[in-house]
Amino acid sequence: MNIFIFSFVILFGVLGCLGKENGNDLPVDLVTLISASNATNSATPPSNLSYAGNPFVFFRNAAISAKIPTFTGRVESCKSNVTLPAGISIGNTCNITGTATANQSATNYTISATNSFGSTSTTISFQVKDSVCGNGVIEGNEVCDDSNTFNGDSCNSTCSGT
């Protein structure tokens, strides 16, 4: 950045002197080029990290739908303050994916998103549990759940089909 500013000062001085000899001002194209070249240089840390739907309940041995955060700015890496549940991982843009392989009570995790200018964080909660066949709610790997565990009706006793 310092080299760019120094180069700009020299270039402006040289062109300014050349332009003044002819009675002209600095060309508009050069001013536009200089102001546009710095428009994408955002020297700010990420902010406003959040996950819709928090807190989360995952079902053991069932793939989770990706948890994709929203944030402001640019994120280069992400991490959790403690290890995520077995089978769940976090990517460099804070997307959380995987298949939980062990039950776990509700646990808070502080997720931090970082770039070279700083970081932001948010706290989320995960619980991992077994699905319950017969409770009337399709969860985990169940393909049906008719509120009972009887065979021969609309769903079998393991909630895996008819």
Side-chain angles (χ1 to χ4, degrees), residues 30-106:
L30 177 62
V31 173
T32 302
L33 171 67
I34 291 169
S35 64
S37 68
N38 202 21
T40 59
N41 184 13
S42 176
T44 59
S47 60
N48 303 317
L49 177 65
S50 67
Y51 290 84
N54 183 41
F56 300 106
V57 175
F58 301 147
F59 294 96
R60 188 172 59 88
N61 297 325
I64 68 169
S65 60
K67 305 305 172 202
I68 301 172
T70 58
F71 51 82
T72 302
R74 181 175 45 88
V75 171
E76 295 171 353
S77 66
C78 286
K79 65 180 181 176
S80 172
N81 65 325
V82 294
T83 303
L84 295 176
I88 303 296
S89 62
I90 187 166
N92 284 339
T93 56
C94 299
N95 292 352
I96 298 172
T97 59
T99 300
T101 58
N103 289 347
Q104 166 184 305
S105 61

Side-chain angles (χ1 to χ4, degrees), residues 4-160:
F4 176 75
I5 293 171
F6 179 72
S7 300
F8 170 70
V9 170
I10 291 173
L11 180 63
F12 183 76
V14 169
L15 289 176
C17 290
L18 291 175
K20 293 299 179 191
E21 288 177 6
N22 299 329
N24 296 329
D25 290 330
L26 188 63
V28 173
D29 290 343
L30 177 62
V31 173
T32 302
L33 171 67
I34 291 169
S35 64
S37 68
N38 202 21
T40 59
N41 184 13
S42 176
T44 59
S47 60
N48 303 317
L49 177 65
S50 67
Y51 290 84
N54 183 41
F56 300 106
V57 175
F58 301 147
F59 294 96
R60 188 172 59 88
N61 297 325
I64 68 169
S65 60
K67 305 305 172 202
I68 301 172
T70 58
F71 51 82
T72 302
R74 181 175 45 88
V75 171
E76 295 171 353
S77 66
C78 286
K79 65 180 181 176
S80 172
N81 65 325
V82 294
T83 303
L84 295 176
I88 303 296
S89 62
I90 187 166
N92 284 339
T93 56
C94 299
N95 292 352
I96 298 172
T97 59
T99 300
T101 58
N103 289 347
Q104 166 184 305
S105 61
T107 304
N108 288 333
Y109 299 87
T110 300
I111 306 298
S112 298
T114 305
N115 69 21
S116 55
F117 300 104
S119 65
T120 187
S121 62
T122 191
T123 300
I124 59 177
S125 177
F126 298 145
Q127 175 185 7
V128 181
K129 64 182 189 175
D130 286 321
S131 58
V132 178
C133 181
N135 67 354
V137 179
I138 297 174
E139 51 193 17
N141 287 326
E142 294 178 342
V143 295
C144 60
D145 195 319
D146 62 356
S147 299
N148 67 59
T149 55
F150 303 119
N151 285 322
D153 54 6
S154 64
C155 184
N156 64 17
S157 63
T158 61
C159 295
S160 59

